[in-house]
Amino acid sequence: MKLRGKRGAIWMLAILLFCSAAFFGFSRDERNFEISKNLNIYYTMFRELNLFYVDEIDPGDLVKKSMDAMLKTLDPYTTYISESEIEDFKLMTTGEYAGIGALISKHKGEVIIAEPYEGFPAYKSGLKAGDVMLEINGTSVKDKSTDDVSNLLKGQPNVPLTIKIKRPGVKKTMEKKLVREKIQLKSVPYYGMLTDSIGYIHLNQFTNKSAGEVKNALKELKEQNAKSIVLDLRGNPGGLLDQAIEITNLFVNKGEDIVSTKGKVSKWDKSYKATKSPVDSEIPIAVLVNRGSASASEIVSGAIQDLDRGVVIGNRTFGKGLVQTTRNLTYNTKLKVTTAKYYIPSGRCIQALDYSHRNEDGSVGKIADSLITEYHTKNGRSVYDGGGILPDVKIDPETYSILSVNMIRDFMFFDFATLYANRNESIASAKEFEVSDELFSEFVAFVKESKDFTYKSESTEILKALKESAKGEKNFDISTDEFAALEAKLAPNLDRDIERFKDELKELLAHEIVKRYHYQKGGIEFSLREDKALLRAIEVLENNSEYTGILNGSIGLHAINK
């Protein structure tokens, strides 16, 4: 007898669940009995839903949602990877896929090219940031999600694609012909010399080629007379553990402890040491980190700090010290499951949130202050667990005005840069480009004429709620004047605030324009021009007494942030 359609799929699932339940039911172990019992309950519930629910149900969708909800109660990193998500999973671990080499986004209900990657098919065919996609090989993309469009663009390499677009500022639609290629995204999109003696390496991910790219960059910078190195891990969310170990090994001697893992399955516990001779174990290093530095980034920066191999500069890191292992499931699916925790050389764990002990409302709290423990680096400096890596030199994080945030949200910088790039053939280099007062005036006029821009202030919304609360408590009448004065000061005033934040707005606009001509590499190069953390790193590396003083603990001792 053949099982067909959704009903057949439901019964096949039910049979599998029942068999699993029966299998576990034979065990005398109490835990396995609980598994058996609950799987049986799940099977009978699913059977009743299928038989009696008022509308037809989609078994695959329903089961996936139930699995996702179950895993969500554990931690954000334990996830089910369906067959349709396998390609995205491979991209995360390898940085490689077959496509056109562009970041796409949704804007005003349309799918646009947000950023073409230099050297790949989108770039070579002349696609530009801001181009609106209309058709792919004759298939309309109207009302499609970015995931749907991404699936149309990705696939087997060497396949020709014809993409129909409309370009802002250009009346006629265009067709761009290109051939899908294997895309290998660089882990090191930029490196270069900051001064005559200080080299810089920007590492934005840990894929299977990251260590090789960092090694090549390091060797080339040394050939250019680099006497010290800035390793920038800001905004790097992590990736493969083995790459974090290999990158650390580039700077530390063979045999040094780098990281260890400990979990429920003790036979999987492992200590990882440097297994190769380093490229340079003496060159001074400044590692830049921020809140966006996580996982593998924290292993590298934490090991460098614990071994007193270099100075860590920036903001406290994210605090992801959980190890994930990928397990194969049936039907080409996978489970990415948290199996252990990371421990860096001093013995501390970098995990910030305690998912095993949730609050009554289901939220997750940080490690309690009373449980934070002091550890020591190789030179005896005090370091602490309880959440991420606390830098040796702390830099106050830079924040943007609410006006800038509103303009970013409403694509003002992006849309103006699109029109500018479609009118102008070239600009100065990333290191030299500036937004003139004349160009800034054009931008201001563009913003004021735009129907898409709304200027809202969070503080005024809070004040409005406070007014309503005061009225409800009958306290508003005695504070009318105070409310009016505060409202006048906090109310968004576009002309006033454009003048107040002119320098900040100019910088954001310049950065967006630079990326249109010099792409990712130029965008990074531009952003380094007035980078406070980078400038501080250069100061430390150029001052040998400060650098060595931090590492031997005589200066720059940091206190725990509680």
Side-chain angles (χ1 to χ4, degrees):
M1 180 178 68
K2 293 184 179 179
L3 298 174
R4 298 181 181 276
K6 292 183 178 179
R7 191 172 298 275
I10 292 171
W11 284 110
M12 181 60 73
L13 172 69
I15 291 168
L16 289 171
L17 286 172
F18 181 76
C19 290
S20 299
F23 172 79
F24 284 115
F26 285 116
S27 173
R28 295 178 182 178
D29 182 85
E30 185 178 345
R31 184 177 182 84
N32 280 348
F33 171 74
E34 281 298 307
I35 294 172
S36 172
K37 181 181 78 172
N38 285 286
L39 281 174
N40 210 352
I41 292 170
Y42 186 87
Y43 152 66
T44 54
M45 179 192 70
F46 204 95
R47 180 190 64 194
E48 298 303 306
L49 278 174
N50 174 57
L51 290 173
F52 300 114
Y53 186 69
V54 63
D55 296 319
E56 193 73 19
I57 61 174
D58 182 332
D61 181 62
L62 198 61
V63 171
K64 185 179 187 308
K65 285 178 179 176
S66 69
M67 290 191 293
D68 289 343
M70 172 181 67
L71 298 178
K72 192 175 180 180
T73 65
L74 302 176
D75 64 54
Y77 314 110
T78 296
T79 57
Y80 167 67
I81 304 166
S82 66
E83 188 172 10
S84 63
E85 296 168 327
I86 290 295
E87 286 304 314
D88 290 334
F89 174 72
K90 288 180 180 177
L91 172 61
M92 290 170 57
T93 55
T94 66
E96 184 178 292
Y97 66 100
I100 67 169
L103 180 67
I104 62 173
S105 181
K106 199 90 169 184
H107 180 31
K108 298 179 184 177
E110 298 174 310
V111 178
I112 64 168
I113 300 290
E115 182 182 358
Y117 300 129
E118 192 172 9
F120 293 116
Y123 164 85
K124 289 187 284 191
S125 72
L127 283 171
K128 293 184 177 182
D131 286 346
V132 178
M133 284 189 279
L134 303 175
E135 295 179 2
I136 300 173
N137 280 354
T139 300
S140 172
V141 300
K142 185 179 181 181
D143 299 326
K144 289 188 182 295
S145 68
T146 52
D147 285 341
D148 291 336
V149 175
S150 179
N151 289 334
L152 289 173
L153 295 172
K154 293 177 183 176
Q156 292 298 317
N158 303 316
V159 173
L161 296 175
T162 300
I163 301 177
K164 187 176 181 180
I165 65 163
K166 63 178 180 181
R167 178 165 290 169
V170 179
K171 291 183 179 180
K172 291 184 178 181
T173 59
M174 304 178 186
E175 281 193 352
K176 298 291 183 180
K177 296 184 182 295
L178 58 162
V179 177
R180 194 186 285 143
E181 295 179 10
K182 280 190 175 181
I183 310 297
Q184 175 68 56
L185 300 179
K186 288 185 177 180
S187 297
V188 179
Y190 177 79
Y191 64 92
M193 296 297 292
L194 299 171
T195 69
D196 291 340
S197 61
I198 300 176
Y200 171 87
I201 302 173
H202 182 102
L203 178 65
N204 63 10
Q205 58 185 336
F206 288 80
T207 63
N208 58 358
K209 292 181 173 60
S210 296
E213 290 185 37
V214 174
K215 183 178 182 178
N216 291 337
L218 177 59
K219 285 184 173 181
E220 190 170 326
L221 291 171
K222 284 170 63 67
E223 289 173 2
Q224 295 177 35
N225 199 42
K227 303 300 182 186
S228 55
I229 292 292
V230 175
L231 178 61
D232 195 343
L233 300 179
R234 291 174 295 179
N236 186 325
L240 299 178
L241 171 62
D242 66 319
Q243 296 298 295
I245 295 166
E246 285 191 41
I247 288 169
T248 306
N249 195 171
L250 297 175
F251 302 100
V252 303
N253 289 317
K254 184 176 180 179
E256 290 278 18
D257 289 324
I258 294 177
V259 66
S260 61
T261 61
K262 298 176 185 177
K264 180 192 291 185
V265 184
S266 57
K267 67 179 181 180
W268 287 359
D269 292 350
K270 192 169 182 180
S271 293
Y272 298 89
K273 297 178 181 290
T275 59
K276 303 174 184 177
S277 297
V279 172
D280 194 324
S281 63
E282 301 293 334
I283 192 169
I285 309 167
V287 183
L288 301 184
V289 295
N290 64 7
R291 180 66 179 167
S293 307
S295 190
S297 292
E298 294 173 297
I299 292 172
V300 173
S301 56
I304 293 292
Q305 186 179 63
D306 281 0
L307 297 172
D308 293 304
R309 178 60 189 86
V311 174
V312 180
I313 297 175
N315 320 130
R316 184 193 284 270
T317 61
F318 183 80
K320 181 185 179 294
L322 301 177
V323 183
Q324 280 73 50
T325 302
T326 304
R327 306 291 296 172
N328 291 325
L329 305 179
T330 56
Y331 296 100
N332 197 30
T333 62
K334 295 179 184 291
L335 173 68
K336 182 161 69 72
V337 56
T338 298
T339 55
K341 292 181 179 179
Y342 289 125
Y343 296 84
I344 50 179
S346 64
R348 56 183 168 144
C349 179
I350 54 182
Q351 179 61 23
L353 299 180
D354 184 4
Y355 292 102
S356 61
H357 299 91
R358 291 180 179 265
N359 301 321
E360 288 185 6
D361 62 357
S363 62
V364 181
K366 292 188 175 182
I367 305 298
D369 290 352
S370 59
L371 299 178
I372 290 176
T373 306
E374 180 178 354
Y375 294 83
H376 296 92
T377 68
K378 197 171 184 179
N379 288 342
R381 295 187 297 146
S382 295
V383 287
Y384 301 85
D385 65 2
I389 305 300
L390 187 64
D392 305 303
V393 179
K394 290 181 281 186
I395 306 293
D396 291 333
E398 293 189 50
T399 57
Y400 289 123
S401 65
I402 191 64
L403 175 59
S404 293
V405 171
N406 276 259
M407 287 187 178
I408 293 170
R409 179 203 64 204
D410 291 339
F411 284 76
M412 289 297 102
F413 300 111
F414 184 92
D415 287 346
F416 184 83
T418 296
L419 294 173
Y420 181 88
N422 290 338
R423 293 195 311 260
N424 297 274
E425 287 291 328
S426 62
I427 61 170
S429 70
K431 290 183 178 181
E432 297 172 340
F433 180 76
E434 301 281 354
V435 170
S436 65
D437 287 339
E438 181 182 1
L439 181 57
F440 184 70
S441 295
E442 287 183 36
F443 171 69
V444 171
F446 170 80
V447 170
K448 289 182 176 180
E449 292 169 6
S450 174
K451 295 178 181 179
D452 300 313
F453 179 64
T454 54
Y455 186 20
K456 294 180 180 179
S457 165
E458 185 178 347
S459 56
T460 56
E461 295 300 313
I462 294 172
L463 180 61
K464 188 185 296 183
L466 182 60
K467 283 174 65 176
E468 293 303 315
S469 178
K471 288 176 181 178
E473 296 172 355
K474 297 186 177 181
N475 288 325
F476 182 71
D477 292 342
I478 61 174
S479 53
T480 305
D481 293 342
E482 288 83 353
F483 270 112
L486 190 56
E487 195 168 27
K489 287 184 178 180
L490 295 179
N493 183 309
L494 188 58
D495 289 325
R496 177 198 67 193
D497 292 346
I498 283 175
E499 190 58 37
R500 283 179 66 198
F501 304 116
K502 183 177 181 179
D503 291 343
E504 177 179 294
L505 297 174
K506 273 188 167 186
E507 182 180 359
L508 288 167
L509 179 59
H511 183 252
E512 190 64 49
I513 290 174
V514 162
K515 288 195 298 180
R516 302 310 173 93
Y517 296 88
H518 303 297
Y519 300 92
Q520 184 183 34
K521 182 178 178 181
I524 295 171
E525 198 171 27
F526 176 87
S527 67
L528 298 179
R529 298 196 317 192
E530 298 295 333
D531 188 321
K532 291 180 181 178
L534 183 64
L535 293 173
R536 185 71 180 96
I538 292 172
E539 285 181 5
V540 171
L541 291 172
E542 289 182 335
N543 187 337
N544 186 60
S545 60
E546 182 178 17
Y547 179 81
T548 55
I550 292 170
L551 295 182
N552 65 31
S554 62
I555 61 173
L557 286 173
H558 58 255
I560 187 169
N561 279 349
K562 289 192 176 182

